[in-house]
Amino acid sequence: MTQPIPQSVEATLELLAKGNYVADRSLATALYLALKMGRPLFLEGEAGTGKTEIGKVLAETLGRKLIRLQCYEGLDVSSAVYEWNYSAQMIEIRIAEAAGSRDRSEMEQGVFSERFLIKRPILQALEPDPIRGAPVLLIDELDRTDEPFEAFLLEILSDFQVTIPEIGTVKAKEPPIVVITSNRTREIHDAIKRRCFYFWVDYPDAKREMEILKVRAPGAAEGLAKQVVAFVQKLRGEDLFKLPGVAETIDWTNALIQLDKLDLDPQTINSTLGILLKYQDDIEKIQGSEAARLLQQVKTDLAAGG
Amino acid sequence: MAVITTTGGNGADHSPAESKLVVNLMHFARALRVAGLPIGPGKVLDAVNAIRAVGVGNRGDFYWALHAVFVNRHDQHEVFDQAFHIFWRDPKILERLMGMSMPDLEPGSAPPEEPPMRRVQDAFRPDSEEKSEGEGGDKGEKDEEETEYDSVMTASSRELLHGMDFDEMSAEEVARAKAAIARMRLPIQLVKMRRFRPDPRRARIDMRATLRSALRSGGATIPLKWKRRSQRPPPLVILCDISGSMSRYSRMLLHFMHAVSNDRSRVHVFLFGTRLTNITRHLRERDIDLALAKVSEAAEDWSGGTRIGAALHEFNTHWGRRVLGQGAVMLLISDGLDRDAGRGLEIEMERLHKSCRRLIWLNPLLRFEGFQPKSQGIQAILPHVDEFRPVHNLESLDQLIAALNRPAGRRLEGASEWLKMM
């Protein structure tokens, strides 16, 4: 079930394709290096460009377990790495007391043993999995957490080990495959990035986006998909607060399929624009005449291009 | 040195072609470093290993493999791209350049007269010039300022200085005011975090510490330990107008911004006149004179016109989401006099106001007693700020510090009186 790590850039591309992920060769190169050299892959880019998806696809195609750590402000050791099961420990102490045990070190060993340890994502990722091999650890939206947590990650990312004061150091026999994503709502410190292979995930070009739609929205008519891609590409050229990502393109296409559309028209665009644009200012700017103008351009371009 | 360590491991099976490649990689890394990318020897080793893994058959793969190793931030991509294409088309160009710029080979050699690559030239020219300037005259001048400040400044003259408008100060008074600003601290109201720290004042039970101490006593008694949420200052973002009408104030306020940037973490500073400049990195320089020299070089629109709407638009689209997260407090320093007569300003102010936790507008024009919020720019900004304050002398800066230290009230509270006058 567990697939071996791909041995070339081509093999990496094939692997991603197998997981229905249409990737650029540049991304495959960075991913291949990360896998081959056992380093984390650091993916940065706008929201909705498919960063998180890479981690998921990787786990799926390699047959590994996916462990996801969603970051948020104030994320701390007890929710990211481990926590003790306090109520069970309390009961253990009471039982030991009732049994008349007075040996302190014995009791300490009993209470702070692995039995009472609640393992959170990072500790889980360091555990050996004899059947499926080292897991894929997806550290999602690292920019949401704060600098102290980043500093804590340094030890884990370079040595793949965690120190629990009561037990000792836990070290991964086989390091997990680590994928880190960031939306760049703030800069991540260089010390983290230096330990990783960096890749900026950009919006795809029209050809690539067309391929993505074929895989992700197979129900769309060829003509509709072409119009959708051309329209979204045009939108990305506009002066908007938040440009639509690939995820929005896919959502929009699926919505249009549900509405049984074979062809874009201004009316439909206006009523479904909320799927593409997420800010009221942006919607206001595009809705109506601007949308009609863009659509007209798209149709002329497509007619000219055949 | 990098060559020896890389080939030393299993040097026997290396063809001469590969060792040539390793040397070239080292030179390439060196060129990137000179152009400003933070590349250490470890990165060169990574690059060699990466190229071994990917092979040299495909130019595209070769490019992206080196890209993955050497580029750490999106904005470094351009430098890498340029350097890559110049270097790997003709490594000779850079070899010649390296001969000129390697400091360990020719100590004390002058920077090259006509280096072939502009970027490289830009990368180290300003730095060396600034250093020689900074270490020469400026240091001495600063020492003088400080000794003078200590001996001359009495309590009464300090008071006088405190209420004096920056605009009316003599050169000597300006120097003293700068020294006073350098000592200012900005303790912004702390925000609660989701993390905890030990605290004996009985807020919440710290189970982990409690159990550990229970074991220490053998489990017979369980002494409770306490914790509470830890606090930290929120990020501070300053947007400062440097147009002609603001020039006297903005120069003084730069000292204030420098003091704040060096006092605490998570401060971002932007200047705007006709365009927006991020000077956060420049202000991190400890020495005020070096920092100001870097700032004045970075911003090209000193004492020109103001296009507040356009500058805010640029801030909102490119920076807003990157620096205003995590409950940022924002200081907008401007007189609100806009060359574009407030066009597009209102929308951008609204967006800005919604993106931060608290928006404080500092306006030096408020020093005039009969100030009326009548200009179009001011009318566009005022409905979207939480507080409206003067900033024209040391006293107003002190008041600002006090205001930032108070718990934040309702939004718009500090501006409501002015809104009534509109």
Side-chain angles (χ1 to χ4, degrees):
Chain A
M1 193 169 127
T2 302
Q3 297 291 314
I5 300 279
Q7 290 304 317
S8 68
V9 179
E10 277 81 17
T12 316
L13 262 178
E14 273 167 35
L15 188 81
L16 288 174
K18 222 167 45 179
N20 281 346
Y21 191 96
V22 182
D24 275 322
R25 200 179 165 89
S26 49
L27 170 61
T29 309
L31 177 59
Y32 164 64
L33 283 175
L35 291 173
K36 174 95 182 169
M37 292 166 70
R39 294 273 197 88
L41 180 64
F42 191 103
L43 300 170
E44 201 165 48
E46 299 294 335
T49 45
K51 299 180 296 295
T52 306
E53 196 62 22
I54 292 173
K56 290 185 186 165
V57 166
L58 208 55
E60 195 187 302
T61 51
L62 288 176
R64 313 292 181 104
K65 187 175 166 195
L66 176 71
I67 296 171
R68 179 171 174 170
L69 176 66
Q70 172 67 50
C71 296
Y72 54 83
E73 166 130 45
L75 180 66
D76 58 0
V77 171
S78 62
S79 44
V81 190
Y82 68 94
E83 173 81 302
W84 291 105
N85 187 348
Y86 299 119
S87 38
Q89 284 176 319
M90 289 285 233
I91 295 169
E92 181 75 7
I93 293 176
R94 283 282 162 249
I95 290 173
E97 224 176 29
S101 163
R102 283 276 155 205
D103 185 348
R104 230 184 275 178
S105 70
E106 195 180 275
M107 189 190 280
E108 183 152 352
Q109 265 175 13
V111 168
F112 285 108
S113 66
E114 221 175 311
R115 208 147 53 97
F116 297 108
L117 197 62
I118 302 170
K119 289 170 182 159
R120 305 284 194 210
I122 287 181
L123 196 58
Q124 286 170 19
L126 299 182
E127 288 204 308
D129 187 338
I131 303 159
R132 290 196 283 180
V136 174
L137 173 62
L138 174 64
I139 303 178
D140 213 5
E141 304 189 357
L142 182 61
D143 51 334
R144 279 178 187 273
T145 182
D146 44 14
E147 293 87 354
F149 186 74
E150 259 177 49
F152 172 76
L153 268 188
L154 287 179
E155 184 194 356
I156 292 158
L157 293 185
S158 48
D159 302 332
F160 294 107
Q161 65 176 36
V162 165
T163 306
I164 303 173
E166 294 88 352
I167 293 183
T169 304
V170 179
K171 190 170 165 62
K173 283 201 188 72
E174 192 190 344
I177 298 166
V178 183
V179 177
I180 303 174
T181 75
S182 159
N183 283 335
R184 209 162 65 139
T185 58
R186 66 181 178 83
E187 275 322 327
I188 304 296
H189 199 277
D190 273 351
I192 288 264
K193 290 183 177 172
R194 250 191 26 231
R195 286 164 170 78
C196 309
F197 285 111
Y198 175 86
F199 188 79
W200 172 262
V201 188
D202 217 337
Y203 297 117
D205 57 12
K207 189 166 154 264
R208 180 85 47 202
E209 195 155 25
M210 197 64 205
E211 286 173 41
I212 296 172
L213 270 195
K214 267 189 198 138
V215 174
R216 286 309 174 96
E222 173 92 13
L224 177 70
K226 267 191 182 152
Q227 287 180 358
V228 164
V229 168
F231 187 80
V232 172
Q233 294 275 340
K234 276 261 178 324
L235 268 188
R236 292 200 188 117
E238 295 292 303
D239 182 21
L240 296 173
F241 187 61
K242 166 79 182 79
L243 299 176
V246 186
E248 277 82 25
T249 313
I250 297 170
D251 284 350
W252 196 40
T253 314
N254 282 325
L256 292 172
I257 295 172
Q258 294 303 316
L259 295 171
D260 291 329
K261 294 286 169 193
L262 293 172
D263 206 34
L264 278 180
D265 57 86
Q267 179 94 50
T268 317
I269 293 180
N270 282 342
S271 53
T272 54
L273 205 55
I275 302 173
L276 277 183
L277 303 173
K278 307 293 177 177
Y279 283 86
Q280 180 54 27
D281 305 352
D282 288 351
I283 294 177
E284 226 166 69
K285 202 183 244 175
I286 299 297
Q287 212 162 35
S289 60
E290 183 69 8
R293 189 183 64 81
L294 287 176
L295 182 62
Q296 192 54 49
Q297 264 185 25
V298 164
K299 288 201 167 157
T300 338
D301 290 356
L302 284 178
Chain B
M1 205 165 74
V3 179
I4 296 166
T5 37
T6 47
T7 53
N10 47 352
D13 54 342
H14 285 328
S15 58
E18 182 168 328
S19 57
K20 178 96 170 101
L21 179 68
V22 170
V23 171
N24 272 335
L25 276 177
M26 197 191 69
H27 279 317
F28 181 52
R30 209 181 256 270
L32 289 177
R33 193 180 316 148
V34 172
L37 264 53
I39 290 169
K43 286 268 173 189
V44 183
L45 292 182
D46 286 348
V48 172
N49 288 331
I51 293 308
R52 263 192 207 138
V54 168
V56 286
N58 181 327
R59 190 176 164 89
D61 289 355
F62 183 69
Y63 175 95
W64 286 107
L66 290 184
H67 191 278
V69 174
F70 287 135
V71 173
N72 262 348
R73 275 210 323 266
H74 186 42
D75 49 9
Q76 293 165 351
H77 170 79
E78 269 311 304
V79 180
F80 175 85
D81 190 64
Q82 281 185 17
F84 182 89
H85 289 301
I86 294 178
F87 186 92
W88 297 102
R89 192 180 307 130
D90 181 13
K92 288 255 163 58
I93 293 182
L94 276 142
E95 245 167 59
R96 256 187 289 138
L97 181 80
M98 286 306 128
M100 288 186 282
S101 64
M102 266 193 289
D104 47 350
L105 289 185
E106 291 172 70
S109 67
E113 297 280 316
E114 279 177 12
M117 213 169 76
R118 252 204 85 77
R119 268 225 79 109
V120 177
Q121 180 193 4
D122 288 349
F124 63 154
R125 255 277 169 68
D127 203 41
S128 55
E129 271 175 18
E130 265 164 39
K131 234 170 227 150
S132 57
E133 256 175 48
E135 275 155 22
D138 292 3
K139 278 266 163 59
E141 213 173 273
K142 202 174 155 239
D143 287 345
E144 237 168 67
E145 252 172 46
E146 265 165 32
T147 44
E148 181 191 21
Y149 167 74
D150 281 342
S151 57
V152 177
M153 195 97 146
T154 60
S156 61
S157 72
R158 194 176 303 164
E159 239 163 58
L160 195 68
L161 187 70
H162 228 64
M164 191 182 275
D165 197 298
F166 291 144
D167 208 10
E168 295 157 1
M169 285 180 181
S170 69
E172 190 203 335
E173 284 157 346
V174 165
R176 278 195 219 153
K178 283 176 184 169
I181 287 175
R183 288 177 297 124
M184 281 183 175
R185 294 291 169 263
L186 192 54
I188 291 194
Q189 173 72 20
L190 299 173
V191 286
K192 275 194 182 136
M193 288 175 61
R194 296 194 36 145
R195 244 174 240 161
F196 292 91
R197 48 166 296 174
D199 181 15
R201 279 175 305 169
R202 325 220 143 197
R204 264 167 214 250
I205 293 176
D206 184 347
M207 282 300 287
R208 185 182 174 131
T210 302
L211 270 174
R212 288 188 64 100
S213 68
L215 282 175
R216 214 164 291 137
S217 66
T221 57
I222 301 183
L224 291 180
K225 299 282 176 189
W226 303 90
K227 65 179 178 181
R228 67 172 161 88
R229 284 198 187 283
S230 58
Q231 296 185 319
R232 69 188 302 211
L236 178 71
V237 180
I238 306 178
L239 262 174
C240 182
D241 189 338
I242 51 166
S243 61
S245 54
M246 285 286 294
S247 65
R248 185 80 189 182
Y249 299 100
S250 51
R251 273 159 211 280
M252 185 60 89
L253 287 166
L254 270 177
H255 284 256
F256 175 68
M257 293 181 234
H258 178 259
V260 173
S261 309
N262 278 288
D263 180 39
R264 36 179 286 163
S265 63
R266 302 204 288 174
V267 178
H268 298 272
V269 185
F270 296 82
L271 300 182
F272 68 92
T274 50
R275 57 190 201 93
L276 188 75
T277 318
N278 184 353
I279 56 161
T280 308
R281 270 165 208 274
H282 310 298
L283 283 185
R284 291 251 171 82
E285 184 76 55
R286 278 265 160 207
D287 187 286
I288 175 82
D289 295 307
L290 278 185
L292 291 190
K294 282 188 179 167
V295 167
S296 55
E297 204 167 292
E300 285 161 10
D301 46 353
W302 287 100
S303 307
T306 341
R307 293 172 56 220
I308 308 181
L312 288 186
H313 179 72
E314 203 184 331
F315 178 83
N316 280 335
T317 33
H318 296 297
W319 294 99
R321 263 167 300 188
R322 284 167 68 185
V323 299
L324 288 180
Q326 313 194 335
V329 172
M330 172 125 207
L331 298 182
L332 174 67
I333 307 175
S334 171
D335 53 13
L337 302 178
D338 186 17
R339 197 170 73 184
D340 292 347
R343 223 175 317 123
L345 183 52
E346 173 123 31
I347 299 171
E348 298 302 335
M349 275 310 295
E350 191 184 341
R351 158 82 31 236
L352 187 66
H353 189 211
K354 282 176 180 162
S355 313
C356 62
R357 197 166 64 96
R358 195 167 168 211
L359 176 55
I360 300 172
W361 182 17
L362 304 174
N363 188 339
L365 290 184
L366 267 189
R367 74 185 186 280
F368 300 119
E369 295 243 324
F371 173 83
Q372 292 276 324
K374 290 290 181 224
S375 99
Q376 279 165 310
I378 292 173
Q379 294 213 344
I381 298 177
L382 204 47
H384 302 290
V385 299
D386 296 320
E387 212 165 319
F388 190 34
R389 311 190 60 83
V391 56
H392 58 281
N393 56 20
L394 288 178
E395 198 177 345
S396 59
L397 282 182
D398 277 344
Q399 283 166 0
L400 168 67
I401 288 173
L404 285 172
N405 205 16
R406 271 200 310 269
R410 273 183 303 111
R411 296 206 85 165
L412 297 172
E413 193 173 42
S416 48
E417 265 177 51
W418 294 102
L419 279 172
K420 275 181 225 144
M421 287 168 67
M422 264 173 64

